[in-house]
Amino acid sequence: MQNGALRVYPLQDEDLSVNTLKEYWSFNVHDNDYGQIQGIGSSYDDRFLITCGGDGNIFTFNILSPEDVHKELKAKIPSPRSGLEKEKATEDIEDPNAYNLEEVKQKKEYERIMKEAEEKKNKKREELIALRHEFLFLLQKNQELPKHMQLHREQYEMDHRIFEELDRQTAQRIQLVQKELAWEHEKHLIGLQKLRNQFRDSLEFDTVVVHAIQSNHQISTYRLLAMSEKYYQDKERPSWKRTVLKQAWKQAEEREIVRETSHARIFEGEAEKLKTSEVRKPTTHYIGSKHEQIRRIVEKSDKVKAKIMKRKAEWDELYKSKPSDDYENPKDVEDIREAQENMGCYKLKTAPNYRVPEHKRMNTEKKVMQLTSLEVLIHKRKVNMNKEIMSLRDLKISIIDKIKCLVQELKSIQTALDLSEHLPLPPIPQLYPDEVPEKKFEYDSDVLLKFKEEQEAKAKLQEQLEGSPSSCAFRHGFLRAPSIKEIDPMAQAAGARPMKTASSVVTEQPKVFEIEKAEPTEMELEISKREKIKNLYLQETLIKKINALVINFDAELRFLRHKKLKLDVQMKSADLRYITWYEELLILKNLEKRETLLQGRVDTLISEQEAMRSKLNSYLAQMEDRKSEIVKLQECEKALYANFQASLGENNEFARFLTKVLKKKIKCMEKKEVGREADEEDENEEENDDESSLDIDEENAGSEDEVFDDSVCPKNCNEALFRNTMQLRQKRLDIEKALTEEKKVAANLRKKYNALTKKAKVVETSLDTAEMELETFQWEKQQRLNELYVVVPLKLHQVEYLVNGEMPSDFSQALVFTNQSLEYLQKRTVDLHNEKIVQREIYKKAQEQHKQLVQDKKEMDINIRRLEEKCSHLMMKKFGRLVDFEAVQAHSVNVRMEELEVQIMEKEYVHSQELQEWEARILDLQQQLMKLTKENTSKLQQLNRFCLEKQQLETKLDSLKNDLGVEFQGTRTTDIKEKARLESRLKHMARNTALLREEINLLSRKDGCLREELSLLSRKDGSPQDSETPTETFPILTP
């Protein structure tokens, strides 16, 4: 067979008809896809059947006889079947999660093990429950015993180490489970953080619904995402106002510092002046007064000169400010231009001749800024509304807390009242879950356990729908976590135990003896009545207060809800406007490339035009400079000829010769320069009109250059005049050379100016065409923007476009105006009419003023001429000639001479002071000399006495040498001390004598300045022993 199956047909009586071949047995031996049977055959004794297939397998079958069949086979052979080929073949298992044979075996083994484990668990649970019941019974019996016979709870514990070991094992298991779940815990934490970053962190406000307490009104916040940082970049930039204010503050501080320093300098100068004035002597007053007189004269002359210069500057400024006949006021021109640019175009935007004003032209950047500002504004309004709603929710929370306190107080009051007098307690409002959505993300262990139970219930329901519960357990693992009910039976028992003990304790409480109450007195009845009235009043007051809080909150919520409805309308219109602007932005982005090209072309042409204008202005300035230089050179040439005529004098016989010498041309230029001179002379004919006569004379003189010799002075001619003429000719040649160069430069500048003017005209025409193209593009862009639909919400009373008193179905011919713009247009027509009347009146007044000014000008001119004639007549009459009074007023004294005289006086005064000082010094020195001579004589006398005393002592010592031991027979120490004293005294006297000798030698010298030498000598000879006898200094001066 093609599918590798082997068929066996039962034959009866070797009948090979078709009917007998209907029933057969089929054996799938070879591969169904690649095991096509290639050959089949039986053995020679017909006991075996051999088949070979395309899959490379060979199978052998035993052919049993009917007798052997009954012996060998124990199972019943099924009868052959017919129509197997028509039956649908068994489908292969394609589900990857389906169990194979091995998994089925493992599953059955797992179910068997779990069943045995569950049976063991149930047995243990039953034993534990029995023990628990027995233990509870013992506890109950213990509670029933008298108190002194009851056992304490600690006495039930056989060994406390058992509980410690259980706690330790539990902690170890918990720690092990935490370690096993650490990776999963961290994974879920990271996933949670990602979810928060994606959905929660970017959320600035979540939806919070605030419900009213007594009504069904509610209000919800806007769900807002946080604005990105790009919207706040412009706010962080410092505004130009702040920078200007900072600069102004810095300038003001600098000015204050300068003022303070100037004041300090002024005060210091005044103090110095006071000090110097105190030090000055009376002899310096004359010099100071002289200085002051010169300063006043100089100031007076300077004031006169400044006044004259100021008057001249005013006249010059006045003449400069005099307008020309075709003068136009720049302010009026600027106002006209500004009005033309900003008065606006009141044509329809759809009109073909509509021109888009420059300030209303829209591009991508401006539109993005518009969208950004609109988005920021929407976000700001929504944030403000959300803040108000959140404050309302906080108010509700505070009101609930207040109501709880008031209800508690009300309950305490009602405890003192009868039940018949109790008013119904107002219900305490509760917060809805949607009022605190942030609590959805707050969880604890109870919430997690509840969630776990819900998940297990869902899993069980899913297992019931899919199949047996063991399959799911087998798929997810062989271990299953115990449920809460399996874990907590001990906890439930522990929880039930204290309840029972408490109940038993309650039952054993001693009964309180009842005391019979006496009847209340009248005072007690009155007090109870007052308390009752007070409590009733407080009860009503608290209930009213609670109702007032609820009513006020509901009113606040309704008011805020009404406000939010208005804001919703505004936000909806803002969203519609945002959509329209975004569509405009898309159109602008599509047209941005072409607009950039056109605008760049216009900008480049404008920059080229400005550069050309600056160049043209520079060329004009240079040409003006060249013209002024040419005029100066021409004036120098005229002055040279005038000087030559003056040097010739009158009736000079060599005048013709010297004139020819002066006008003779020396050809030292190249031919090219001569040709350029000719071209320049043709271009500058108007400049050479003034010298036409001189050129003719030069040409005539040039024709006669060969007749005379200008290198030798003729006879009887003045040599100095001839040399002067030669020098003037050299100057003339230099002037002509400079003049030709200036003319060349001027001609080049003129050519450049003309070429640049032509180029500027071309640029101007191209700029006009580019601006026209840009305006056309702006009009096309405006038309594209006009094609967009704009949503305008209107009410019926705002529609004034009616046809035959009815509202038309087609509004394509209607216009939408805001009330503000319509009122502005109506007001503008009236303003323009009034402005026109005012301008006519101003024009009439200006004409009358102009006529009056012209008449006044004529009268002033006549008056000025009359006064000038009178002034000149008076000057001729008084001085005999015209005098320049400004020069006379500006003339002042010789300041330099006056200053030198004052300096001489100062020097003389200083020298006299020095002479007086020297005379006083000489007198002082003479007195010191007399004093020193007296001291020297006294010192000499003292020296003489010392010498005599020394001689007497020496003689006395010589006479006492022989009998030293006779006189002094005391102790040895006293002799030594006396000897040392005498030796020291002798040394001191010797030193004094030496010092006196040196002083005498010094006094015998003729030079001065001995004080220092004496002091040095006294320092050199001084010793610690001399401190007992102070030394005297001897100041000596030689005359």
Side-chain angles (χ1 to χ4, degrees):
M1 299 297 289
Q2 295 290 335
N3 57 358
L6 180 66
R7 291 184 181 180
V8 179
Y9 293 91
L11 298 178
Q12 295 177 2
D13 300 330
E14 295 182 0
D15 187 5
L16 298 178
S17 63
V18 179
N19 295 326
T20 59
L21 297 178
K22 290 181 180 180
E23 297 177 353
Y24 58 86
W25 291 282
S26 179
F27 301 98
N28 290 323
V29 181
H30 295 277
D31 189 82
N32 293 334
D33 296 327
Y34 307 103
Q36 182 180 3
I37 295 175
Q38 302 292 335
I40 187 172
S42 61
S43 61
Y44 66 95
D45 56 357
D46 292 332
R47 291 182 61 186
F48 300 98
L49 180 68
I50 301 168
T51 62
C52 61
D55 55 355
N57 294 324
I58 298 173
F59 293 96
T60 303
F61 302 94
N62 291 327
I63 301 174
L64 300 176
S65 62
E67 294 82 6
D68 295 334
V69 170
H70 296 289
K71 292 179 181 180
E72 295 290 336
L73 295 178
K74 296 180 182 181
K76 184 179 178 181
I77 298 173
S79 60
R81 298 173 59 188
S82 63
L84 289 174
E85 65 275 358
K86 294 180 181 180
E87 292 183 1
K88 189 176 181 180
T90 305
E91 295 181 357
D92 291 337
I93 300 172
E94 296 179 356
D95 186 8
N97 296 324
Y99 299 129
N100 53 21
L101 297 176
E102 185 64 27
E103 287 177 349
V104 170
K105 290 180 181 179
Q106 290 179 3
K107 178 183 172 184
K108 288 182 178 179
E109 183 67 20
Y110 174 73
E111 288 178 351
R112 186 184 62 77
I113 292 170
M114 292 301 293
K115 187 176 180 181
E116 292 177 357
E118 287 294 330
E119 290 177 355
K120 289 182 180 180
K121 285 180 182 180
N122 290 330
K123 288 180 181 179
K124 290 291 182 183
R125 288 193 188 102
E126 290 174 358
E127 293 176 0
L128 287 172
I129 289 168
L131 290 172
R132 189 177 291 112
H133 285 305
E134 185 178 356
F135 181 71
L136 292 174
F137 178 71
L138 291 174
L139 286 175
Q140 189 175 2
K141 287 182 75 176
N142 186 36
Q143 291 290 335
E144 292 175 356
L145 292 173
K147 206 164 194 179
H148 63 280
M149 296 178 65
Q150 289 181 2
L151 297 175
H152 294 287
R153 186 60 184 243
E154 291 80 6
Q155 294 177 355
Y156 287 99
E157 296 180 2
M158 292 182 295
D159 191 357
H160 64 88
R161 290 176 293 181
I162 296 172
F163 290 99
E164 293 176 359
E165 182 66 21
L166 289 173
D167 293 338
R168 188 182 62 79
Q169 290 178 2
T170 305
Q172 286 181 354
R173 288 175 184 175
I174 291 170
Q175 190 176 4
L176 181 63
V177 171
Q178 287 177 352
K179 287 181 180 179
E180 290 176 354
L181 299 176
W183 188 84
E184 288 289 333
H185 178 69
E186 188 66 24
K187 176 184 175 183
H188 291 305
L189 278 180
I190 293 171
L192 179 62
Q193 188 62 35
K194 287 182 178 179
L195 289 173
R196 282 178 179 171
N197 294 336
Q198 182 70 24
F199 299 103
R200 294 293 301 170
D201 293 347
S202 61
L203 193 65
E204 187 174 359
F205 279 99
D206 200 357
T207 305
V208 177
V209 182
V210 181
H211 297 267
I213 298 174
Q214 289 183 344
S215 61
N216 295 326
H217 296 95
Q218 61 184 16
I219 184 172
S220 62
T221 59
Y222 295 103
R223 192 174 187 274
L224 290 178
L225 297 176
M227 298 289 288
S228 59
E229 295 180 358
K230 67 178 181 179
Y231 295 113
Y232 297 102
Q233 289 178 356
D234 296 335
K235 294 183 180 181
E236 295 177 357
R237 296 176 184 170
S239 62
W240 62 272
K241 292 184 179 179
R242 290 182 181 176
T243 54
V244 170
L245 288 174
K246 286 182 180 178
Q247 293 176 359
W249 292 338
K250 288 181 180 179
Q251 291 177 0
E253 289 177 357
E254 291 175 357
R255 289 173 185 171
E256 289 179 359
I257 292 167
V258 170
R259 287 176 184 172
E260 290 176 358
T261 52
S262 63
H263 286 307
R265 289 174 184 172
I266 289 167
F267 293 148
E268 290 175 0
E270 290 177 355
E272 289 177 358
K273 286 180 181 178
L274 290 172
K275 289 179 182 179
T276 52
S277 63
E278 291 175 357
V279 174
R280 280 182 182 176
K281 295 180 179 180
T283 53
T284 60
H285 288 322
Y286 177 73
I287 297 171
S289 62
K290 200 70 177 175
H291 276 294
E292 189 68 22
Q293 185 180 359
I294 294 168
R295 188 181 61 78
R296 288 175 183 173
I297 293 168
V298 172
E299 285 181 358
K300 187 176 180 181
S301 61
D302 290 340
K303 286 180 181 179
V304 172
K305 288 180 181 179
K307 190 175 181 181
I308 294 167
M309 295 301 292
K310 184 179 179 182
R311 193 183 299 119
K312 285 184 178 179
E314 287 176 356
W315 279 108
D316 294 339
E317 190 69 25
L318 184 62
Y319 282 121
K320 284 181 182 178
S321 62
K322 181 181 178 180
S324 60
D325 296 336
D326 55 350
Y327 172 77
E328 291 182 355
N329 192 355
K331 185 179 179 182
D332 296 339
V333 174
E334 184 66 24
D335 292 341
I336 292 168
R337 186 184 64 78
E338 187 176 356
Q340 288 177 352
E341 291 180 356
N342 300 325
M343 70 179 178
C345 182
Y346 293 100
K347 299 174 185 176
L348 292 177
K349 291 183 179 179
T350 55
N353 57 350
Y354 175 74
R355 179 178 174 273
V356 183
E358 191 170 356
H359 66 280
K360 288 187 178 181
R361 291 180 181 177
M362 189 59 63
N363 54 12
T364 307
E365 186 177 359
K366 290 182 182 179
K367 188 57 69 178
V368 169
M369 289 176 65
Q370 270 189 351
L371 289 171
T372 304
S373 61
L374 181 61
E375 192 169 353
V376 170
L377 183 61
I378 291 170
H379 184 269
K380 186 177 180 181
R381 297 287 295 276
K382 288 184 177 180
V383 165
N384 293 333
M385 178 54 66
N386 286 350
K387 288 179 179 179
E388 292 183 7
I389 295 171
M390 295 302 290
S391 63
L392 186 67
R393 187 192 70 172
D394 297 338
L395 178 64
K396 184 176 181 181
I397 293 170
S398 63
I399 286 172
I400 290 171
D401 295 336
K402 288 180 182 178
I403 291 173
K404 285 180 181 178
C405 296
L406 294 173
V407 168
Q408 191 69 25
E409 187 177 355
L410 189 60
K411 286 181 180 179
S412 64
I413 291 169
Q414 286 182 351
T415 54
L417 295 173
D418 295 334
L419 291 174
S420 61
E421 295 173 349
H422 287 186
L423 293 176
L425 291 173
I428 298 174
Q430 300 294 330
L431 287 175
Y432 292 90
D434 53 358
E435 288 182 331
V436 282
E438 61 270 11
K439 290 188 177 179
K440 291 180 182 178
F441 303 98
E442 297 176 0
Y443 57 89
D444 52 4
S445 59
D446 296 334
V447 175
L448 294 176
L449 290 173
K450 186 177 179 182
F451 177 74
K452 184 179 178 182
E453 291 175 359
E454 292 176 357
Q455 293 296 111
E456 287 178 354
K458 289 181 181 179
K460 287 180 180 179
L461 182 62
Q462 189 70 21
E463 287 175 359
Q464 291 175 3
L465 294 174
E466 290 180 358
S468 63
S470 60
S471 62
C472 180
F474 179 75
R475 290 177 189 175
H476 292 290
F478 295 106
L479 295 174
R480 182 173 62 86
S483 62
I484 298 172
K485 295 179 180 178
E486 295 173 358
I487 292 171
D488 293 343
M490 292 293 291
Q492 291 175 1
R497 181 181 62 202
M499 292 173 64
K500 291 183 179 180
T501 56
S503 62
S504 62
V505 171
V506 170
T507 56
E508 292 179 0
Q509 285 181 354
K511 294 183 179 180
V512 181
F513 293 100
E514 294 181 358
I515 301 171
E516 293 181 358
K517 293 182 180 180
E519 293 181 359
T521 61
E522 293 180 0
M523 183 65 69
E524 291 176 352
L525 290 172
E526 186 68 24
I527 291 169
S528 63
K529 188 176 181 181
R530 288 185 179 183
E531 288 292 331
K532 181 180 179 181
I533 294 168
K534 180 182 177 182
N535 291 331
L536 289 172
Y537 174 74
L538 290 174
Q539 182 182 6
E540 292 177 359
T541 305
L542 291 175
I543 292 172
K544 286 180 181 179
K545 195 172 182 180
I546 293 170
N547 293 332
L549 287 173
V550 172
I551 291 167
N552 291 333
F553 175 76
D554 290 349
E556 287 287 337
L557 188 139
R558 286 194 296 272
F559 176 74
L560 191 60
R561 181 171 172 271
H562 182 68
K563 187 176 178 181
K564 186 175 180 290
L565 288 174
K566 289 184 178 179
L567 184 63
D568 288 338
V569 174
Q570 294 176 3
M571 291 298 104
K572 187 59 68 176
S573 62
D575 291 339
L576 294 172
R577 184 176 298 177
Y578 188 88
I579 292 169
T580 306
W581 285 1
Y582 189 75
E583 291 176 351
E584 292 179 358
L585 179 63
L586 296 177
I587 294 172
L588 291 172
K589 281 185 178 180
N590 293 331
L591 302 175
E592 184 179 9
K593 188 174 181 181
R594 185 182 171 192
E595 184 180 6
T596 305
L597 292 173
L598 292 173
Q599 190 65 40
R601 185 181 173 190
V602 170
D603 293 338
T604 52
L605 289 173
I606 288 171
S607 60
E608 287 181 5
Q609 190 178 25
E610 290 177 353
M612 287 180 181
R613 284 178 181 173
S614 62
K615 284 185 180 180
L616 287 172
N617 293 330
S618 64
Y619 285 159
L620 284 173
Q622 292 177 11
M623 288 168 67
E624 291 294 331
D625 294 339
R626 296 304 101 194
K627 284 182 181 179
S628 61
E629 290 292 333
I630 289 169
V631 171
K632 287 180 182 178
L633 291 173
Q634 289 175 354
E635 289 177 355
C636 290
E637 191 173 2
K638 289 180 181 179
L640 186 142
Y641 279 108
N643 190 9
F644 174 71
Q645 293 294 334
S647 63
L648 287 178
E650 296 181 359
N651 299 324
N652 193 339
E653 56 181 349
F654 296 99
R656 184 177 178 81
F657 174 76
L658 292 174
T659 304
K660 289 182 180 179
V661 170
L662 180 64
K663 292 182 179 181
K664 183 179 179 182
K665 291 183 178 181
I666 297 173
K667 296 181 180 180
C668 59
M669 301 180 184
E670 297 179 357
K671 293 181 180 180
K672 294 181 181 180
E673 293 179 355
V674 174
R676 289 178 184 175
E677 285 178 6
D679 296 335
E680 290 169 3
E681 286 174 0
D682 294 336
E683 292 176 358
N684 302 325
E685 289 179 357
E686 57 183 12
E687 296 178 358
N688 296 331
D689 290 339
D690 298 334
E691 299 180 0
S692 59
S693 60
L694 294 175
D695 293 338
I696 293 167
D697 295 337
E698 288 177 359
E699 289 176 0
N700 294 331
S703 61
E704 297 176 359
D705 283 343
E706 299 177 358
V707 178
F708 66 94
D709 187 10
D710 57 350
S711 61
V712 180
C713 180
K715 294 180 179 181
N716 299 327
C717 183
N718 192 356
E719 188 71 24
L721 183 60
F722 183 74
R723 285 199 299 274
N724 187 21
T725 305
M726 296 296 289
Q727 292 175 1
L728 291 174
R729 185 179 69 177
Q730 188 64 33
K731 289 181 180 179
R732 182 186 64 81
L733 292 174
D734 293 339
I735 290 169
E736 287 181 353
K737 185 177 180 182
L739 190 61
T740 53
E741 290 178 357
E742 292 293 335
K743 288 179 180 179
K744 288 178 186 178
V745 174
N748 291 330
L749 289 173
R750 173 64 65 180
K751 289 179 182 178
K752 290 180 181 179
Y753 181 78
N754 293 333
L756 195 61
T757 305
K758 293 178 182 178
K759 192 174 180 181
K761 289 180 180 178
V762 173
V763 171
E764 189 174 0
T765 54
S766 59
L767 179 62
D768 293 337
T769 55
E771 287 179 350
M772 288 298 295
E773 290 178 359
L774 185 61
E775 285 186 6
T776 306
F777 172 76
Q778 292 292 340
W779 182 82
E780 292 176 357
K781 184 171 71 174
Q782 187 63 42
Q783 297 303 316
R784 290 281 299 276
L785 295 175
N786 292 339
E787 292 175 359
L788 294 175
Y789 289 102
V790 181
V791 179
V792 181
L794 295 173
K795 296 181 180 179
L796 291 177
H797 71 275
Q798 293 177 321
V799 180
E800 297 183 1
Y801 178 62
L802 302 175
V803 177
N804 296 326
E806 295 180 356
M807 188 180 296
S809 58
D810 185 13
F811 284 93
S812 60
Q813 299 299 322
L815 290 175
V816 179
F817 269 92
T818 60
N819 292 329
Q820 185 179 1
S821 59
L822 186 61
E823 290 174 0
Y824 173 74
L825 290 175
Q826 293 173 355
K827 183 181 176 183
R828 185 60 181 160
T829 54
V830 179
D831 293 341
L832 288 173
H833 182 69
N834 296 331
E835 188 177 352
K836 187 176 180 181
I837 294 170
V838 172
Q839 291 296 329
R840 283 180 180 175
E841 292 178 356
I842 292 170
Y843 181 71
K844 287 180 182 179
K845 290 180 181 179
Q847 277 187 337
E848 293 175 359
Q849 187 179 3
H850 179 69
K851 291 178 182 178
Q852 186 64 32
L853 289 172
V854 170
Q855 186 67 27
D856 293 342
K857 182 185 175 184
K858 289 179 181 179
E859 292 178 359
M860 290 296 290
D861 290 338
I862 294 168
N863 194 12
I864 288 167
R865 284 197 296 272
R866 184 175 58 78
L867 291 173
E868 286 178 352
E869 290 175 358
K870 185 178 179 180
C871 182
S872 60
H873 177 68
L874 290 173
M875 281 194 292
M876 291 298 294
K877 187 176 180 181
K878 188 173 183 179
F879 302 108
R881 64 187 180 88
L882 298 176
V883 180
D884 189 2
F885 281 102
E886 291 182 356
V888 173
Q889 290 177 355
H891 182 69
S892 62
V893 296
N894 193 350
V895 179
R896 181 62 181 165
M897 187 177 70
E898 296 291 336
E899 289 177 353
L900 290 173
E901 287 179 358
V902 172
Q903 288 179 4
I904 290 167
M905 292 173 66
E906 290 177 352
K907 292 292 184 183
E908 288 177 353
Y909 175 73
V910 170
H911 292 160
S912 64
Q913 292 291 327
E914 289 180 357
L915 287 172
Q916 290 177 3
E917 289 177 358
W918 280 106
E919 288 175 357
R921 189 175 178 186
I922 289 167
L923 182 61
D924 189 13
L925 291 173
Q926 286 177 355
Q927 292 177 358
Q928 290 180 4
L929 180 61
M930 290 173 67
K931 186 177 178 181
L932 289 172
T933 24
K934 289 179 181 179
E935 290 177 354
N936 289 335
T937 53
S938 64
K939 294 291 181 183
L940 288 172
Q941 292 174 0
Q942 187 180 4
L943 179 61
N944 191 12
R945 286 196 302 271
F946 285 158
C947 290
L948 292 173
E949 188 178 356
K950 180 183 178 184
Q951 189 176 5
Q952 290 175 2
L953 289 171
E954 286 177 354
T955 55
K956 192 175 181 179
L957 284 172
D958 292 336
S959 63
L960 293 174
K961 280 183 180 179
N962 296 324
D963 52 355
L964 288 172
V966 178
E967 290 185 13
F968 306 101
Q969 294 180 358
T971 59
R972 188 68 178 168
T973 56
T974 56
D975 295 340
I976 294 168
K977 288 180 180 179
E978 186 66 21
K979 185 179 179 181
R981 187 181 64 80
L982 292 173
E983 287 178 356
S984 63
R985 186 176 180 184
L986 183 61
K987 288 179 182 179
H988 181 63
M989 292 176 68
R991 191 179 295 110
N992 288 336
T993 55
L995 181 61
L996 288 171
R997 284 174 184 172
E998 289 180 357
E999 288 180 358
I1000 291 165
N1001 292 330
L1002 289 171
L1003 287 171
S1004 62
R1005 291 171 59 186
K1006 296 293 183 179
D1007 54 349
C1009 302
L1010 299 177
R1011 188 185 298 272
E1012 291 82 1
E1013 295 181 4
L1014 290 173
S1015 63
L1016 289 172
L1017 286 173
S1018 63
R1019 288 174 188 172
K1020 290 178 182 178
D1021 296 333
S1023 63
Q1025 296 174 357
D1026 299 339
S1027 61
E1028 296 176 358
T1029 59
T1031 58
E1032 296 180 357
T1033 57
F1034 304 98
I1036 300 170
L1037 269 178
T1038 57

